Amino acid sequence: MKKELNRLQAVLQKNGVDTTRLPVHVAIIMDGNGRWAERRGLPRAYGHRKGVERLCDITRMSSDIGIKVLTLYAFSTENWKRPFEEIDCLMDLLVEFLRKKTEELHENGVIIRTLGNCSQLPGRAQDELELSIDKTRQNTGMILNLALNYGGRSEIVASVKKICSGVMEGSIRLEDIDEMKFSDHLYTGGLPDPDVVIRTGGEYRLSNFLLYQAAYSEMIFAKPLWPDFDENEYAKALKEFQNRKRKYGAI
Ligand code: FPP
């Protein structure tokens, strides 16, 4: 563990990252698995499998260096438009990932959570998620949010509905609704907003990710495709974040 931490510290140091000023909440749009595979003449599923390997590395590194919340966009509400075989492959990879990695994440104190409407995921994915969430619930380390069947707009609509029903049944007063109250009803309720949203794969879009929460997040668009986004690329993104001057609308 100590050796591993020294190795990661060296990666951060090499990239000039100040370990005392790391972001609290990092959110990542893991884009580029398909292209990574296609460029090699391989099936897209192969790219997703490589993508899971990077997911494991980046999660491990985040937890080891002291990131408090890591939110990963693993399956969007729009991803249902993909061919059935690809969706099935992503769900299989999710199940495999949870089966193989929950124990290790648990040992590292990671708390596994989800963002999104997981009741629409296949039963096998729901069952495995439930086991992983239950097992890691009491941990005190990094929160790993897996955004699954997640869409920012539908999250906002769901929050509006929850608040409206609270008002109708009298548990919420109209005059008490403010930005804080509203965000408490989002899937991320109680968590700090992301300090930084990283998107890999060279595209410059938010793609319905954390629309409300990312209001003041620093956006980092990294060229490498997700399967190529290794610890060194992550350190570079963290350095870029530290170079930004966050003003929150002030001067
Ligand atoms: C985008 O690549 C990636 C996704 C659809 C989600 C990310 C999924 C993983 C990292 C693997 C599965 C996740 C878990 C939690 C096991 P893309 O296919 O859109 O890439 P492209 O833009 O090159 O086509």
Side-chain angles (χ1 to χ4, degrees):
M1 176 65 192
K2 184 92 179 78
K3 218 167 130 199
E4 175 64 3
L5 197 58
N6 286 341
R7 189 182 66 76
L8 292 173
Q9 298 283 7
V11 176
L12 293 177
Q13 210 168 31
K14 189 182 89 180
N15 285 283
V17 178
D18 176 353
T19 49
T20 65
R21 290 194 308 117
L22 290 171
V24 174
H25 183 170
V26 176
I28 308 183
I29 303 174
M30 307 178 287
D31 194 19
N33 295 345
R35 275 168 288 163
W36 186 92
E38 280 159 14
R39 281 177 198 175
R40 288 164 176 75
L42 297 165
R44 291 174 62 85
Y46 199 82
H48 292 312
R49 184 163 284 282
K50 273 282 164 200
V52 178
E53 288 176 20
R54 287 295 84 75
L55 182 155
C56 294
D57 296 344
I58 299 303
T59 300
R60 180 73 200 259
M61 175 161 173
S62 301
S63 151
D64 285 355
I65 66 176
I67 300 294
K68 300 282 180 248
V69 186
L70 176 67
T71 301
L72 301 176
Y73 205 3
F75 192 86
S76 76
T77 45
E78 288 72 33
N79 286 153
W80 295 110
K81 293 180 202 152
R82 295 188 179 204
F84 171 79
E85 294 71 32
E86 185 164 343
I87 296 173
D88 209 38
C89 153
L90 286 166
M91 295 302 151
D92 281 346
L93 286 171
L94 171 65
V95 169
E96 188 182 325
F97 162 74
L98 293 168
R99 283 198 188 138
K100 283 194 181 154
K101 293 290 172 180
T102 296
E103 190 55 46
E104 180 189 321
L105 292 166
H106 181 53
E107 278 165 20
N108 290 327
V110 172
I111 303 160
I112 301 175
R113 291 191 193 167
T114 57
L115 310 182
N117 183 355
C118 291
S119 69
Q120 289 171 353
L121 298 178
R124 65 189 193 283
Q126 289 190 48
D127 293 346
E128 215 54 46
L129 282 165
E130 201 180 311
L131 290 173
S132 301
I133 291 169
D134 277 350
K135 189 176 178 76
T136 60
R137 195 183 298 282
Q138 307 291 343
N139 288 343
T140 54
M142 184 182 82
I143 296 174
L144 171 64
N145 286 319
L146 296 174
L148 292 161
N149 191 22
Y150 173 87
R153 287 185 175 177
S154 70
E155 177 184 37
I156 291 170
V157 172
S159 176
V160 169
K161 282 187 176 168
K162 281 184 238 168
I163 291 174
C164 286
S165 68
V167 171
M168 285 193 300
E169 71 189 22
S171 59
I172 299 175
R173 295 190 317 164
L174 199 56
E175 52 273 34
D176 290 341
I177 301 170
D178 57 11
E179 290 181 11
M180 183 69 98
K181 187 95 181 162
F182 189 82
S183 62
D184 279 349
H185 288 79
L186 297 169
Y187 294 123
T188 47
L191 297 178
D193 286 338
D195 300 289
V196 57
V197 176
I198 302 169
R199 180 176 187 137
T200 65
E203 302 281 342
Y204 300 87
R205 281 189 299 278
L206 203 45
S207 296
N208 207 10
F209 189 45
L210 303 177
L211 295 183
Y212 190 89
Q213 300 90 331
Y216 284 101
S217 304
E218 293 299 325
M219 302 292 307
I220 294 185
F221 297 102
K223 278 257 150 47
L225 304 171
W226 176 249
D228 292 327
F229 192 80
D230 58 12
E231 292 163 344
N232 199 52
E233 294 295 338
Y234 189 29
K236 279 198 239 169
L238 293 172
K239 176 63 186 166
E240 193 177 333
F241 164 77
Q242 291 183 340
N243 285 341
R244 302 274 177 90
K245 198 166 185 291
R246 302 185 79 190
K247 298 194 293 190
Y248 301 95
I251 53 171

